Amino acid sequence: MVMLLLLLIYLLWLMALLADDWKYAAKQFVKAYSRDVIVHCSDSNCSTLTFDGVDIMGTRLAEEVLSVIKQHPHLQKISFVCHSLGGLVCRYAIAKLYEQGSARRACGEEMECSLNGSADSCVEEVSKRKIAGLEPVNFITCATPHLGCRGHKQAPAFCGLYSLEKVASSSSWLLGRSGRHLFLKDCDEGKPPLLLRMASDSEDLPFISALQSFKRRVAYANTSFDYLVGWSTSSLRRRNELPKCRNLKKGDKYPHIVNVDEPTSVSNQEETPTEAKINGRKSNEMEEAMIRGLTKLSWERVDVSFKGSKQRYFAHTTIQVTNYCFNSDGADVIQHMIDNFAV
């Protein structure tokens, strides 16, 4: 029996949080995969700790993951399900936990080669990519601001008004280091903003290699009524790449899943260097650099709509079913996640 560690990570955009916010989803995963999956709800970044910054929280999460793995030495695989800011924290954590080694294996009869005139089995070098020593399988994010929240209509609460976005960006320090990271206002030691660095393998950490090691990468995104995280930033698409609303159709089994894009790499353009001029860089230029880097990998995109639901104004938490009493309409989204989960 292969045991897979599933870590449910939740960070409600700098608001108070509890591991219990994944209680409903955890229960459903255990019910569906009782013999194959060990579910752990992360609690290492609670309450005011969410102000510490993506890097510090990511390091803290990485330490928590190692601690949990030590308690279950029989584990072979690992997956992450993340909500909101938790998706960024997880992307940092997996880069900290990423390991790349190699294994030597003899080629089969059909791959024999001649060495020094004698027929010997050749030896093939096989790359082994692991996260904390385990095989990475699913990396799933829900309503995660992958491209940050700095201007360019990435935070719907600002109504796309430049004046409001500018005020929010200028006030990002009120949200601590996490706010500076989200609004791309950080420039520690003269480096580009952290989220920009996380769109490629940097000298600090192998961010893209760590993401690439997973069998699946999935982005669930609210198409509307999520006032904290926009559709574009959570689905890793440019605004002109978003599906047309008239083409979105609800299904019977998952009434709030309106579109599913099969995994595909959409960026064939050369990545914008992250070491380019920092001062004066425009938000849309940084956004383009991030999206080019992240979409070099294939992503499954699942678009969610709570239009017509009484819970639509709480879309940001309903997509995760934070509290079943107030967010029960998101149950089909969790079921879709479970039905498509790779074990």
Side-chain angles (χ1 to χ4, degrees):
M1 179 171 59
V2 176
M3 293 302 290
L4 181 147
L5 174 63
L6 170 62
L7 289 106
L8 297 170
I9 317 297
Y10 172 67
L11 286 167
L12 175 55
W13 204 32
L14 302 172
M15 296 176 70
L17 55 110
L18 297 168
D20 279 353
D21 291 322
W22 271 116
K23 185 176 180 179
Y24 174 81
K27 184 177 180 180
Q28 303 311 309
F29 267 101
V30 170
K31 186 185 299 184
Y33 300 106
S34 58
R35 299 187 59 191
D36 300 309
V37 175
I38 292 175
V39 178
H40 174 78
C41 297
S42 174
D43 60 2
S44 61
N45 292 293
C46 297
S47 191
T48 56
L49 294 179
T50 59
F51 291 90
D52 291 344
V54 172
D55 51 354
I56 293 177
M57 287 190 288
T59 300
R60 199 180 285 139
L61 174 60
E63 293 170 353
E64 181 184 9
V65 171
L66 293 174
S67 176
V68 172
I69 290 174
K70 285 181 181 179
Q71 299 170 30
H72 303 280
H74 55 291
L75 291 171
Q76 298 177 35
K77 301 179 180 181
I78 188 168
S79 291
F80 292 82
V81 179
C82 331
H83 178 255
S84 197
L85 179 60
L88 300 178
V89 174
C90 278
R91 280 174 46 200
Y92 193 95
I94 63 173
K96 296 280 288 187
L97 297 167
Y98 177 73
E99 304 168 7
Q100 182 171 6
S102 62
R104 298 172 70 81
R105 91 180 161 200
C107 297
E109 291 182 1
E110 295 180 358
M111 297 179 66
E112 281 191 347
C113 59
S114 178
L115 301 174
N116 299 323
S118 61
D120 297 319
S121 292
C122 66
V123 176
E124 183 183 10
E125 201 75 15
V126 181
S127 175
K128 296 176 66 177
R129 298 183 175 192
K130 294 190 174 183
I131 298 294
L134 304 178
E135 178 187 343
V137 186
N138 305 275
F139 189 88
I140 303 172
T141 64
C142 303
T144 288
H146 288 288
L147 310 178
C149 303
R150 177 173 169 175
H152 218 186
K153 302 180 181 179
Q154 294 296 18
F158 305 137
C159 306
L161 298 176
Y162 175 73
S163 56
L164 289 180
E165 292 174 346
K166 186 175 180 180
V167 170
S169 180
S170 301
S171 306
S172 60
W173 59 272
L174 292 171
L175 303 177
R177 294 184 73 249
S178 296
R180 292 195 292 276
H181 288 156
L182 281 169
F183 285 92
L184 309 176
K185 297 285 286 184
D186 59 301
C187 53
D188 299 338
E189 300 177 357
K191 296 179 181 179
L194 178 60
L195 295 193
L196 192 56
R197 282 181 275 145
M198 286 173 59
S200 62
D201 283 348
S202 70
E203 0 177 275
D204 300 323
L205 290 168
F207 296 109
I208 291 298
S209 292
L211 261 180
Q212 189 176 32
S213 69
F214 284 82
K215 182 178 179 180
R216 301 174 65 227
R217 288 163 297 279
V218 191
Y220 284 79
N222 283 311
T223 63
S224 57
F225 295 104
D226 187 329
Y227 298 105
L228 296 178
V229 180
W231 188 9
S232 171
T233 186
S234 55
S235 67
L236 286 164
R237 297 186 183 104
R238 299 171 181 85
R239 266 158 293 283
N240 62 2
E241 295 171 342
L242 295 171
K244 302 297 182 184
C245 291
R246 63 176 177 272
N247 296 329
L248 301 178
K249 297 180 180 179
K250 295 186 177 183
D252 295 329
K253 187 174 182 180
Y254 312 108
H256 299 104
I257 302 292
V258 294
N259 181 63
V260 178
D261 281 351
E262 294 303 317
T264 179
S265 270
V266 298
S267 178
N268 296 315
Q269 304 177 59
E270 183 179 349
E271 184 179 351
T272 303
T274 58
E275 295 299 332
K277 179 182 176 184
I278 302 172
N279 294 328
R281 180 179 289 176
K282 296 180 180 179
S283 300
N284 57 345
E285 292 174 350
M286 290 191 282
E287 178 183 314
E288 181 64 21
M290 287 185 285
I291 205 165
R292 285 186 184 183
L294 291 169
T295 58
K296 285 182 180 294
L297 306 179
S298 61
W299 289 84
E300 298 172 43
R301 294 173 174 83
V302 183
D303 298 310
V304 179
S305 174
F306 294 107
K307 184 178 179 181
S309 165
K310 293 180 180 179
Q311 299 170 2
R312 62 186 179 277
Y313 297 112
F314 306 104
H316 189 70
T317 51
T318 298
I319 196 173
Q320 182 219 10
V321 193
T322 301
N323 184 307
Y324 191 78
C325 292
F326 301 104
N327 309 119
S328 58
D329 282 357
D332 64 312
V333 179
I334 299 299
Q335 190 60 51
H336 182 275
M337 198 181 297
I338 291 171
D339 291 345
N340 292 276
F341 196 74
V343 181

